[in-house]
Amino acid sequence: MALSRRLPLRLCPGPSLLVLLLFVRSCLIEAVNLKSSNQNPVVREFESVELSCIITDSQTNDPRIEWKKIQDDQTTYVFFDNKIQVKPVAPVCRVPKAVPVGKSATLHCQENEGYPRPHYRWYRNDIPLPTDSKANPRFRNSSFVLNPETGTLVFNAVHKDDTGQYYCFATNEAGSAHCEGQEMEVYDLNIAGIIGGVLVVLAVLVLITLGICCAYRRGYFINNKQNGESYKNPGKPDGVNYIRTDDEGDFRHKSSFVI
């Protein structure tokens, strides 16, 4: 039996001469023998090329054949059933660094390059997390829910056991990728320290208030006023009247006696 699967391919813009190397040789994969008639095709850009994959022997009725583009030992996309499947790239993960015990926390994982849209899975300390912590006795001290469609991991109330390194995998039919691990710390609130700090602040405010009151009573906040007459109206000695006449341009004084 000899079946032939051919892949019509049109090259995208690139160098004027593109060398496409297809490393396919006769092999046995799950009881299927494959070979290719054109292992090293050379074509110019904007020209079409046909890659062949011939099944010489198969013990299955409908063998699955996938075409994969491998670059730097990494699969970048897969062609299957006349559809291109793109492997996800490393997703973007956001993990809070520190959360107090009993508070909520949300971890995000997002990837936009893969096709079809990938599904997500979170790991803590290299242990896969279930979609619901209540469904696994191993996580009975936790209270989280994982949405594999959106990549969000939500903790309703974190526990000390939730401390650890978290990372996320994005996976579709073409492959998977993961982000780097990030540490999340869950810490206890120091209630006694908080109360002590509040009392210290209150004590300082009381001392400041008492100091202001004492200073006010001692007159430190009262303006000094001059006693007696104003400089604009100096006091006149007894028996002296200041009179201005029409003939004089200035004042002259006149003495008067009171008997």
Side-chain angles (χ1 to χ4, degrees):
M1 177 181 66
L3 300 179
S4 177
R5 300 290 178 90
R6 298 182 182 275
L7 174 66
L9 178 65
R10 182 171 294 276
L11 299 179
C12 298
S16 59
L17 182 62
L18 178 66
V19 178
L20 183 63
L21 301 180
L22 179 64
F23 297 98
V24 179
R25 60 184 178 179
S26 298
C27 59
L28 180 63
I29 304 176
E30 295 183 355
V32 177
N33 287 322
L34 303 175
K35 74 175 184 178
S36 177
S37 60
N38 52 347
Q39 295 187 13
N40 301 300
V42 179
V43 294
R44 297 182 182 276
E45 64 175 343
F46 303 115
E47 293 183 356
S48 62
V49 62
E50 188 174 84
L51 308 179
S52 65
C53 181
I54 302 173
I55 302 176
T56 59
D57 186 23
S58 175
Q59 297 181 8
T60 61
N61 295 328
D62 189 15
R64 174 188 174 112
I65 296 180
E66 294 180 351
W67 288 90
K68 295 183 178 181
K69 179 184 177 183
I70 300 177
Q71 185 176 3
D72 298 330
D73 296 329
Q74 297 291 330
T75 301
T76 54
Y77 72 78
V78 176
F79 188 87
F80 172 71
D81 195 20
N82 294 326
K83 296 179 182 178
I84 292 181
Q85 301 170 346
V86 182
K87 177 187 174 182
V89 298
V92 177
C93 299
R94 298 195 301 274
V95 179
K97 295 184 179 299
V99 184
V101 171
K103 297 296 183 179
S104 63
T106 302
L107 284 66
H108 298 273
C109 180
Q110 189 174 14
E111 196 278 337
N112 298 320
E113 300 296 331
Y115 183 83
R117 289 177 59 87
H119 290 78
Y120 302 96
R121 188 165 190 179
W122 278 94
Y123 288 74
R124 181 179 68 198
N125 299 330
D126 298 329
I127 299 175
L129 301 180
T131 56
D132 192 341
S133 59
K134 298 179 181 178
N136 192 329
R138 186 175 187 176
F139 302 95
R140 60 181 179 272
N141 292 329
S142 299
S143 60
F144 61 80
V145 176
L146 167 61
N147 188 331
E149 301 294 331
T150 61
T152 55
L153 178 63
V154 180
F155 291 84
N156 295 325
V158 296
H159 191 268
K160 289 289 289 183
D161 293 340
D162 295 324
T163 295
Q165 188 180 67
Y166 289 80
Y167 60 91
C168 168
F169 264 88
T171 305
N172 64 6
E173 290 82 351
S176 63
H178 66 89
C179 62
E180 295 294 331
Q182 301 180 36
E183 199 75 24
M184 183 178 77
E185 178 187 2
V186 179
Y187 61 92
D188 293 316
L189 285 175
N190 189 355
I191 304 299
I194 295 175
I195 295 176
V198 172
L199 293 177
V200 169
V201 172
L202 291 176
V204 171
L205 292 176
V206 170
L207 292 176
I208 293 175
T209 303
L210 292 176
I212 293 175
C213 292
C214 292
Y216 184 81
R217 289 181 179 179
R218 294 184 180 183
Y220 289 112
F221 296 106
I222 300 176
N223 294 329
N224 293 326
K225 295 183 179 180
Q226 293 181 351
N227 296 326
E229 298 293 334
S230 173
Y231 287 109
K232 294 182 180 180
N233 186 21
K236 294 180 292 184
D238 293 341
V240 179
N241 293 327
Y242 291 92
I243 302 174
R244 182 175 180 175
T245 62
D246 295 336
D247 297 334
E248 297 176 344
D250 203 347
F251 290 93
R252 65 184 179 85
H253 67 274
K254 176 181 179 182
S255 297
S256 61
F257 300 92
V258 177
I259 299 177

